[in-house]
Amino acid sequence: VESGKPVDDESIAVLQRYARQNADEWVGHVNLGRGLQMNKERVEEAFSAFSTAYSLAPHLSSIAGMLGSLAHLHGRKKEAAEVYRTALAVTPRDASMYFQLGLATQEEADDADGLSAIQGEDASISAWKAAVALDGELTEAYSHLANRLASKGDRKQAIKHGQTAVALNGTDSLTHE
């Protein structure tokens, strides 16, 4: 299944048949999820396919990434954050998963108010700090961390992380907002 391209109904039927016939193999469910996710009317089926695949192979953070990204894309930020947290319990050294967790918890905090917003903000900052600790070249994490710290009023740390992002990437629009 090619990423980003719509999948016709006949191909979906083939993917469904394969997933049913090979119910204990995660790959068939991933391919089905990837095929279904491009069709807005079939998003719930895509969630189901990715969830099945992830339950069969919880050690594969890439499946959690697909499931979390789909949840995040469709506004299910709390669900996305939970998927990322679950994946990190299994693969705690996955910098990209921490990065995604930071995005989900930041947006969750932005949608909330009061104490929830403060807790969500702290969660996003913590997630991005973990991401850059694991992968010191993850420019996007430095950029998001810098902006979030700036919004919290921690100018010194925001500048430090923003400068790191620029040094790694030359320029980055997020650090210049």
Side-chain angles (χ1 to χ4, degrees):
V1 177
E2 287 186 51
S3 184
K5 299 207 182 226
V7 178
D8 61 78
D9 289 339
E10 185 177 330
S11 296
I12 293 291
V14 169
L15 293 169
Q16 288 172 322
R17 195 168 32 257
Y18 181 86
R20 271 193 310 276
Q21 291 171 348
N22 301 282
D24 293 337
E25 294 180 18
W26 61 267
V27 72
H29 299 284
V30 166
N31 285 335
L32 176 58
R34 289 179 66 203
L36 291 166
Q37 72 183 356
M38 301 307 296
N39 185 332
K40 289 181 182 180
E41 290 79 38
R42 302 188 84 170
V43 169
E44 288 305 317
E45 291 175 80
F47 276 111
S48 178
F50 284 133
S51 294
T52 299
Y54 189 52
S55 71
L56 293 169
H59 62 285
L60 295 177
S61 61
S62 60
I63 299 172
M66 288 181 240
L67 181 59
S69 292
L70 185 63
H72 195 164
L73 180 66
H74 290 278
R76 296 159 74 163
K77 297 162 195 136
K78 192 172 227 160
E79 185 178 341
E82 188 55 38
V83 168
Y84 298 136
R85 285 186 187 102
T86 301
L88 285 164
V90 177
T91 56
R93 300 199 49 80
D94 188 331
S96 66
M97 203 61 58
Y98 278 107
F99 175 73
Q100 294 299 329
L101 176 60
L103 293 176
T105 55
Q106 175 188 341
E107 290 183 20
E108 195 177 3
D110 288 345
D111 290 346
D113 56 71
L115 183 58
S116 297
I118 293 168
Q119 290 172 338
E121 182 171 286
D122 289 345
S124 64
I125 290 170
S126 295
W128 289 322
K129 284 182 177 180
V132 299
L134 290 168
D135 181 351
E137 297 194 14
L138 197 53
T139 306
E140 286 181 283
Y142 281 109
S143 295
H144 283 282
L145 180 56
N147 284 319
R148 199 62 175 175
L149 288 165
S151 74
K152 190 177 176 188
D154 190 344
R155 191 175 189 305
K156 183 178 177 182
Q157 287 299 307
I159 290 170
K160 174 187 161 193
H161 292 295
Q163 288 173 334
T164 302
V166 170
L168 287 171
N169 201 33
T171 61
D172 190 308
S173 63
L174 286 174
T175 58
H176 300 291
E177 289 178 350

